Amino acid sequence: MSQTQTIQIGQRETTFFGKLRLKIARRTEGRAVILLAVVLIVVSLTEPLVFTAYQVSLGRIALIGLVALGLTAVILMGELDLSVASTLAVSGVVMALIPDVRLGVVVALGVGLLIGLINGFFVAVVGINSFIATLGMLFALRGLAFILSDEAPVRIVDTDAGIAFGLALIGPLTPRVLIFILAFVVLQIFVSRVKAGREFFAVGGNRQAAYDAGIPVKRRIFTGFMISGFVASLAGVINTLERTAADPRAGLTVLLASFAAAIIGGNYLKGGRGSIVGTLIGATALGVLQVAFTLSGVQVPVQEIFIGLILLLAVTTDPANLRAVLGSIRSVLQGRLKFQS
Amino acid sequence: MAKETLTEVITVANSGEADVKKSRSALPWIADNGIFIFTALLLLFAAVFVDGFASLANITDVFHRAAPIGIVAAGMTFVVISGNYLDLSVVAQVATSAVIMLAVSNLYGVPIAMLAALGAAMMYALVNGIAVGYFKANAVIVTLSTTYIGVGVLRFFSGGSIFFGPEDGPIRAFGASKLGPIPYSAIVLIIVTILLAFVLNRTNFGFVVRSFGSNESATRLGGVNTGLVIIGAFFVTALAAMVAGWVLAAFSNTAVSSMSTGYDFQALAAIIVGGTSVFGGKGSVFRTLLGVIFVSVLTNVLVISNISFGYQQVALGVLIVVAVTVDALSRKVGKR
């Protein structure tokens, strides 16, 4: 009875290479792959120890990557969560303050969800720009971490649990790495296979169109911020357990690296484009780079400069940014030509 | 002639703004004028209930601490009004300027140090401005990265050490001088505020910055080189941060790479509380001065009441969120 109409947009590629070309053109991870290739080549020539001590590298990648994964969920919708660094610190301190480890973990993760809820409220309901709202939260929560911890690192009560947590569980993989892999798989499935996750792209690409199409935009924004808050608090819990102490100052260096990982992974800051896989590749590149720096004894300021430069490069070399530059150069040139003629 | 046509184009494009004033809700009024009442109330409260606030020494201290933040905030108002949220890298800029001022003047004298600081400020303005203006990159992320690059470079070259100025040098003399209870640094703040208010309200550049903030595409279609406007806004911020670095160096006669931590945030709080909109296009430098007074007095009250650093940060963070919320809600009310 009902007639199905298929609308064909563009030409259908039939040859194998044509399909392959189309597949590659659709991917967004190009820059992350390039960075990873450069980093791997340089590191394998200068500091092969990174691969021998792969447990350290994996731990570092998991630390950067976990926070970056949560950020990706928010960035896909064109929002940004600057408060992740403080969420990490607050949830770590909360966990360390509660004597029972299990209860502490649950409460800390709840704190992360609550922070995500507050961020989502300001962005989706009040309508504040997420950059400013989460910046306010970044400082307010850091203050909260200082208050709760009396401005000093808090040791966890059950140190045995922390030490056990640092040991390898399956083969060479520590629980931290396993949790990271689990988070990656869950988020990848959520974003690429689940309806709610796929709608993140629609919300980021064109919010009005998504709203008109009946997508619950506000609920998706809430979901995104709660994912990023939850994942950040998960990172805080893992950090606290591994170090058997919670530092209220934690998270600031992770903030920069995880932003760089998410942005260079091809996630467009205005939303609608990106992938979880890209974030993973970006986090791998940055984690390997950081471990290589540490192992070869590069000074901390130089490391900061490098990570800052990568973030600056990541945020300026997005295809959309490059198009903007080309556009302005062209308009300047055209203006000149018209003026002369 | 050209300026007048541009004015017309942009005035027509912005004529929707007039509707905001017709609204009957109290929120837009609070967003516009609340700061006057809140500052007065805070001053009254501090003078009556807080022991040790209304002493001459404390007032001078408030001026001393408010001056560098106020100068930074006055400059950063340009970036905020142009609709680019904020310039986080002022932290690095102030510290760079202060360290250059003391380190270079010890070797080559004050004029050379001033030129070197100017060079550093221009570098910051160019990198931030080109990335934001021509690459259309997000200002928060760009300035976050330049903060780390700048602080990293500074710590690399200074080795993290503290620089001291000579006890009898001109820098120390400036930092210690006072006009009655008002230190010279506060006078610099007032001069900078008046100067920047003039630039923002009375010059072509200031007009274009404001129009860019309220309607970017109309400004571009009016024939303005918008990339240059952004670079200009970041340049004003960098110049102000440079002067703030000098004032800070003169006040303490020491300089270290971590001396301006938190300036980005306090300056932003002052700007937003003053009533400059983070959505761009609306605001003034005098309002920022008022916001600086509010934030500085609040911080001072918290400090002399022995309230810990954590609570101060929470207070400032909540202040920013509340101020932005009022601004956002008043816009929503205005549109209905």
Side-chain angles (χ1 to χ4, degrees), chain A residues 28-32 261-268 273-275 278-279 318:
Chain A
T28 52
E29 296 92 349
R31 290 179 301 148
I263 297 170
I264 207 150
N267 298 300
Y268 185 38
R273 168 159 60 74
S275 75
T279 307
D318 193 277

Side-chain angles (χ1 to χ4, degrees), chain A residues 139-309:
Chain A
F139 282 83
L141 292 173
R142 182 148 307 269
L144 189 66
F146 277 122
I147 294 170
L148 290 175
S149 65
D150 267 338
E151 304 184 21
V154 189
R155 301 195 66 82
I156 60 173
V157 180
D158 191 358
T159 16
D160 292 340
I163 294 166
F165 189 81
L167 297 176
L169 205 64
I170 305 172
L173 302 177
T174 54
R176 168 199 285 273
V177 180
L178 288 174
I179 291 174
F180 170 61
I181 293 171
L182 186 71
F184 167 75
V185 171
V186 168
L187 269 179
Q188 172 66 22
I189 291 172
F190 177 70
V191 164
S192 58
R193 294 276 178 268
V194 178
K195 180 164 167 281
R198 293 199 54 79
E199 284 172 359
F200 278 22
F201 289 95
V203 173
N206 187 336
R207 193 157 296 179
Q208 188 60 46
Y211 190 81
D212 293 343
I215 294 173
V217 172
K218 285 184 179 171
R219 208 188 301 161
R220 293 291 166 265
I221 292 174
F222 268 109
T223 317
F225 276 103
M226 282 169 77
I227 289 175
S228 93
F230 179 80
V231 170
S233 65
L234 194 62
V237 166
I238 294 173
N239 262 359
T240 310
L241 273 174
E242 276 203 350
R243 296 178 186 163
T244 67
D247 185 1
R249 286 174 188 78
L252 271 183
T253 43
V254 176
L255 177 76
L256 205 67
S258 50
F259 269 124
I263 297 170
I264 207 150
N267 298 300
Y268 185 38
L269 272 177
K270 288 189 179 133
R273 168 159 60 74
S275 75
I276 299 283
V277 179
T279 307
L280 176 73
I281 300 173
T284 311
L286 280 159
V288 169
L289 190 68
Q290 279 194 340
V291 174
F293 277 144
T294 316
L295 287 179
S296 49
V298 176
Q299 287 174 326
V300 177
V302 180
Q303 294 187 25
E304 278 179 3
I305 297 172
F306 260 94
I307 303 291
L309 275 176

Side-chain angles (χ1 to χ4, degrees), chain A residues 80 122 125-126 128-129 131 135 139-140 143-144 147 151 252 256 299 301-302 304-305 308 312 315-316 321 324-325, chain B residues 85 134-138 141-142 145 148-149 152-153 155-156 265 268 309-311 313-314 317 321 324-325 332:
Chain A
L80 196 60
F122 280 118
V125 179
V126 182
I128 306 180
N129 191 299
F131 298 94
L135 190 75
F139 282 83
L144 189 66
I147 294 170
E151 304 184 21
L252 271 183
L256 205 67
Q299 287 174 326
V302 180
E304 278 179 3
I305 297 172
L312 188 61
V315 81
T316 47
N321 300 122
V325 175
Chain B
Y85 313 125
Y134 286 106
F135 283 84
K136 306 258 187 294
N138 184 291
I141 303 291
V142 166
S145 67
Y148 274 78
I149 298 171
V153 169
R155 276 171 63 192
F156 180 71
F265 192 57
L268 180 72
F309 176 69
Y311 284 101
Q313 282 221 314
V314 172
V321 173
V324 179
T325 304
K332 269 190 189 173

